[in-house]
């Protein structure tokens, strides 16, 4: 503005306008420049954005490709795994199937092996020994009145197991005692869960043998409370000792065997056989006839004696043999006899039986002299002596009913010269408890009983020992029990010893003793048991 001093307004206005124009000119060129820069910048940005977008999409493509690949790989992997799984499933099914086949084959082989073993047992005249381990029972825990420390424990501990169906394992380690880990082999071992039905499955073939003409003896051995009576008869009712027939599945060997025998007999020609029963108790080394009747017909126990006949067989003269027509008649008689059986509760078990019980079922079959030695079926087909064989047993029965002796009179035999009688015998023995004296905590009469029981059971072991060692003299007569059972023990019968043991540790000593007895019994070889109705044929073979 200093320069404007002295200038005219016009000049000033001219100058101002020129200045303004110049400024305008300058301003527009700046804007243009700025726009250019911005454009340039924007272009650059756009370009880099494009590049970035391109890169991004490329990256995205690349990554999605990678991911896709990974997904595909994973899917493939899963597919492969699925396939592998299916393969495994197929393989496992195959394996399962082949395992089943192998198991079936194994079972078959086992049965074959058992059958072969049975034949071997039979050929050698061995004694079959089975062992049954009963379950732990409530009274195992409260049998603790004895001074013995073990028996005061109020809990049970299992020490005896069925390792398999032929092996008993006794395993026990107690502080202060040598540990026990022992196995015992028998023809058959029943575990605690195996029922009366299963036990009978193994007994049934012996009954077929009985009908084929072999004598059979089944004997239960074990301490009191180990399940002998349960196995032989079934569970007993507390008051009257009649065994409960309500629950058929609980029935023991004696009722089942009788039913089976009568079932088998029903297939034979009617009237060609008859069945008799005798019930004997061996108590304090005396033999008692439990079916003897007084003059009023009431059953009471009468002392009898056992003798050796001229043929070297044992016999009980005057022993009552009652004829029975069916299983229930048989069981009624056995039941009557059982009411008279001597008992004395030991601490081990409230219903201890202090005597040996021998129930004998005798089948007498009548064959005509002509076809002696032929089978029943052949006889049936032939129908040769139909009327004779039908009437003969009836006559026999009538004449026998007046006397209690089973011996048929010579006149009868003369009258029926051509008829041959064959007697086969099923002896069912429930032995007295094999526990040691000290164990039961008994005194006085019971102690005497126990010592008799112990003596008779050791006599039994001695007899088996003598037979096993093939000693010339077998001490049958050392006890009434062995004398009575002489024929069955000596090889006249197929003999099955059913060992009964309690699994509880309290009874370890007794169980070991029982298992030891069974092991020795297995070693007995008596020569082949003879068939009764084919004496000629078996000799000829
Ligand atoms: P034992 O005749 O040897 O003295 P018991 O047969 O009287 O022995 O058995 C003793 C108790 O055990 C009985 O009450 C009987 O019912 C029960 N018992 C035995 N064995 C079995 C078993 N296998 N299953 C269930 N209870 C059994
Ligand atoms: Mg008993």
């Amino acid at each position: 503005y200093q320069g404007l001093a002295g200038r005219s307004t016009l000049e000033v206005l001219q100058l101002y306008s020129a200045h303004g124009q110049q400024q305008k000119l300058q301003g527009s060129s700046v804007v243009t420049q700025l726009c250019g820069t911005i454009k340039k910048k924007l272009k650059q940005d756009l370009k880099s954005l494009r590049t970035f977008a391109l890169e991004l999409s490329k990256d995205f493509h690349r990554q999605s490709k990678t991911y896709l690949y990974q997904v595909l790989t994973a899917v493939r992997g899963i597919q492969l795994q699925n396939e592998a799984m299916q393969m495994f499933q197929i393989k496992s099914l195959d394996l399962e199937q082949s395992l089943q086949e192998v198991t079936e084959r194994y079972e078959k082989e086992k049965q074959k092996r058992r059958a072969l073993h049975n034949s071997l047992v039979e050929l050698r005249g061995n004694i079959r020994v089975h062992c049954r381990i009963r379950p732990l029972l409530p009274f195992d825990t409260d049998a603790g009145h004895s001074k013995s420390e073990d028996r005061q424990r109020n809990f049970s501990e299992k020490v005896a197991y069925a390792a398999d169906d032929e092996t008993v394992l006794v395993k026990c380690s107690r502080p202060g005692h040598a540990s026990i880990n022992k196995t015992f082999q028998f023809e058959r071992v029943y575990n605690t869960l195996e029922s009366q039905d299963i036990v009978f499955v193994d007994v049934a073939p012996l009954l077929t043998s009985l009908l084929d003409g072999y004598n059979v003896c089944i004997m239960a051995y074990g301490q009191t409370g180990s399940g002998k009576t349960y196995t032989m008869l079934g569970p007993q009712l507390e008051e009257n000792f009649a065994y409960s027939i309500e629950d058929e599945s609980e029935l023991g060997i004696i009722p089942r065997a009788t039913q089976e025998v009568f079932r088998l007999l029903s297939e034979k020609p009617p009237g060609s056989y008859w069945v008799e029963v005798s019930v004997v108790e061996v108590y304090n080394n005396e033999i008692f006839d439990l079916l003897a009747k007084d003059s009023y017909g009431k059953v009471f126990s009468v002392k009898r004696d056992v003798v050796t006949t001229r043929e070297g067989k044992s016999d009980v003269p005057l022993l009552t043999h009652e004829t029975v027509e069916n299983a229930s008649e048989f069981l009624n008689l056995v039941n009557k006899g059982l009411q008279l059986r001597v008992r004395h509760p030991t601490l081990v078990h409230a219903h201890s039986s202090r005597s040996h019980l021998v129930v004998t079922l005798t089948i007498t079959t009548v064959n005509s002299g002509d076809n002696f030695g032929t089978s029943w079926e052949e006889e049936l087909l032939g129908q040769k002596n139909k009327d004779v064989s039908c009437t003969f047993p009836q006559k026999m029965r009538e004449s026998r009913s007046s006397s209690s002796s089973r011996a048929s009179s010579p006149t009868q035999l003369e009258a029926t010269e051509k008829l041959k009688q064959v007697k086969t015998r099923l002896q069912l023995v429930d032995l007295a408890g094999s526990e040691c004296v000290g164990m039961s905590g008994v005194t006085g009469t019971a102690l005497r009983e126990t010592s008799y029981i112990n003596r008779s059971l050791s006599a039994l072991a001695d007899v088996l020992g003598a037979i096993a060692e093939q000693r010339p003299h077998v001490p049958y007569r050392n006890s009434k029990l062995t004398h009575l059972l002489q024929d069955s023990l000596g090889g006249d019968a197929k003999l099955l010893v059913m060992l009964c043991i309690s699994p509880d540790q309290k009874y370890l000593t007794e169980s070991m003793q029982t298992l030891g007895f069974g092991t020795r019994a297995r070693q007995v070889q008596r020569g082949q048991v003879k068939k009764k109705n084919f004496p000629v044929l078996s000799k000829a073979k």
Side-chain angles (χ1 to χ4, degrees), residues 50 70 135 206 275 283 307 331 366 389 396 422 436 452 512:
R50 260 200 208 127
Q70 280 178 356
L206 285 173
V275 179
Y283 175 67
V307 297
L331 295 176
V366 188
S389 60
M396 285 290 293
V422 178
C436 324
Y452 271 118
M512 289 295 275

Side-chain angles (χ1 to χ4, degrees), residues 224 241 342-346 349-354 433 435:
T224 301
F241 274 88
V342 177
R343 289 181 185 82
H344 181 103
T346 66
H349 183 41
H351 288 144
S352 148
S353 302
R354 314 299 295 154
E435 56 275 7

Side-chain angles (χ1 to χ4, degrees), residues 225 228-230 236 341 349 351-353 430-431:
K228 299 181 298 297
T229 306
Y230 178 84
Q236 293 179 319
R341 193 178 178 190
H349 183 41
H351 288 144
S352 148
S353 302
D430 181 9
L431 292 171

Side-chain angles (χ1 to χ4, degrees), residues 55-73:
E55 279 298 311
L56 204 66
S57 97
K58 267 188 196 164
D59 205 37
F60 175 75
H61 265 286
R62 222 179 301 129
Q63 283 207 7
S64 61
K65 249 190 193 170
T66 320
Y67 287 136
L68 194 68
Y69 179 75
Q70 280 178 356
V71 168
L72 281 176
T73 320

Side-chain angles (χ1 to χ4, degrees), residues 276-292:
E276 292 162 299
V277 56
S278 72
V279 183
V280 157
E281 172 179 53
V282 184
Y283 175 67
N284 284 2
N285 208 30
E286 303 280 12
I287 289 174
F288 293 92
D289 180 349
L290 297 189
L291 292 185

Side-chain angles (χ1 to χ4, degrees), residues 93-131:
L93 277 177
D94 276 356
L95 280 175
E96 249 170 55
Q97 209 176 332
S98 53
L99 183 68
Q100 205 179 331
E101 280 168 16
V102 169
T103 313
E104 275 166 22
R105 222 179 304 152
Y106 170 68
E107 281 304 322
K108 268 189 205 154
E109 289 300 319
K110 206 162 81 169
Q111 275 170 9
K112 263 192 221 163
R113 198 191 64 80
R114 194 170 276 164
L116 282 174
H117 177 78
N118 263 334
S119 316
L120 188 70
V121 163
E122 222 141 85
L123 283 170
R124 283 175 168 172
N126 281 150
I127 296 170
R128 286 173 186 73
V129 182
H130 293 192
C131 178

